[in-house]
Amino acid sequence: MRSMFCAMAITLIVASPLGEARVIPDPNQKPAPGNETPQTPLYQANYSPAVNYQLQCLGCHLTNGEGAPRSDVSMMKGFVGHFLKVEGGREFLIRVPGASQSALSDAQLAELLNWMLKDDGIAGGSAPANFKPYTGKEVETYRGRMIKDLTGFRLNLIEQIKELNIDIPADVIP
Ligand code: HEC
């Protein structure tokens, strides 16, 4: 009985056609019709900030920056502009991993932050009246500066905001 199994196993191994499973793409394979042009990388695409937000941020921050506090994504809606009122807050919005590590170019990220901070945007009037728009150059300067203790850094900013007598809504994670 045992030797029969052995014989069967050996036959199966020997009989399996080696080249059947194609892991390596076929070099002669052509793209599907209409799909011949390679995709434009996001940093070279000319999408509006609203579209870039949808593609790169909405998955976590949701449509209007409501966030998902239960999943540790704080609410930005009507609040995110307050970060600009405290020391380190302006750079924080560039340095935070979701922004700094996005697939957007420096200029696109600056444009997206400016779009978020508009009074009729996600910031909903929370940005200071004298807000100076971000520039690509500014993003370039701060983007690569990793925040080592992200939670502590952010908490310090929230504490500073509190000291300005600004209410911290329940959906803004301290
Ligand atoms: C994978 C989820 C995720 C994605 C995608 C993401 N973020 Fe975030 N974002 C977070 C989390 C979580 C925080 C809180 C700080 C932290 O832990 O990074 C945050 C914080 C922020 C903050 C600071 C506000 C605050 O309350 O801390 C800004 C501004 C921000 N994100 C912008 C963006 C932008 C712009 C994009 C898209 C280019 C983006 N994020 C993509 C998860 C994400």
Side-chain angles (χ1 to χ4, degrees), residues 52-53 56-61 71-76 79-80 83 92-94 96-99 102 104 109 112-113 116 150-151 154 158 172-173:
N52 284 335
Y53 179 84
Q56 293 276 290
C57 324
L58 180 144
C60 294
H61 289 284
S71 312
D72 276 346
V73 184
S74 192
M75 180 176 80
M76 295 202 287
F79 187 83
V80 69
F83 283 105
F92 175 65
L93 303 194
I94 301 173
V96 77
S102 68
L104 302 170
L109 184 54
L112 173 53
L113 289 172
M116 281 172 48
L150 189 55
T151 315
R154 193 176 172 284
I158 298 283
V172 169
I173 300 170

Side-chain angles (χ1 to χ4, degrees), residues 2-161:
R2 215 171 129 185
S3 62
M4 209 174 104
F5 273 127
C6 280
M8 270 170 73
I10 289 165
T11 320
L12 277 173
I13 290 164
V14 173
S16 313
L18 275 175
E20 250 339 282
R22 192 185 287 146
V23 184
I24 301 163
D26 179 351
N28 299 317
Q29 197 170 337
K30 301 266 184 304
N35 217 10
E36 291 86 357
T37 323
Q39 204 183 345
T40 310
L42 195 55
Y43 65 90
Q44 284 173 349
N46 265 331
Y47 296 134
S48 67
V51 170
N52 284 335
Y53 179 84
Q54 284 174 16
L55 294 172
Q56 293 276 290
C57 324
L58 180 144
C60 294
H61 289 284
L62 303 196
T63 312
N64 301 305
E66 309 86 315
R70 277 198 313 176
S71 312
D72 276 346
V73 184
S74 192
M75 180 176 80
M76 295 202 287
K77 189 180 171 184
F79 187 83
V80 69
H82 291 312
F83 283 105
L84 298 169
K85 298 172 182 168
V86 298
E87 204 180 324
R90 186 174 169 103
E91 296 90 84
F92 175 65
L93 303 194
I94 301 173
R95 295 172 71 194
V96 77
S100 62
Q101 292 172 25
S102 68
L104 302 170
S105 71
D106 296 336
Q108 285 170 328
L109 184 54
E111 192 191 21
L112 173 53
L113 289 172
N114 295 336
W115 171 83
M116 281 172 48
L117 289 159
K118 285 194 320 187
D119 283 351
D120 59 355
I122 288 173
S126 57
N130 61 354
F131 164 63
K132 236 177 82 217
Y134 286 95
T135 62
K137 190 92 198 115
E138 186 180 5
V139 169
E140 187 193 352
T141 305
Y142 290 104
R143 190 173 193 169
R145 299 191 190 169
M146 199 186 94
I147 303 172
K148 290 212 181 79
D149 171 16
L150 189 55
T151 315
F153 191 96
R154 193 176 172 284
L155 184 62
N156 173 269
L157 298 174
I158 298 283
E159 291 300 330
Q160 287 189 66
I161 294 173

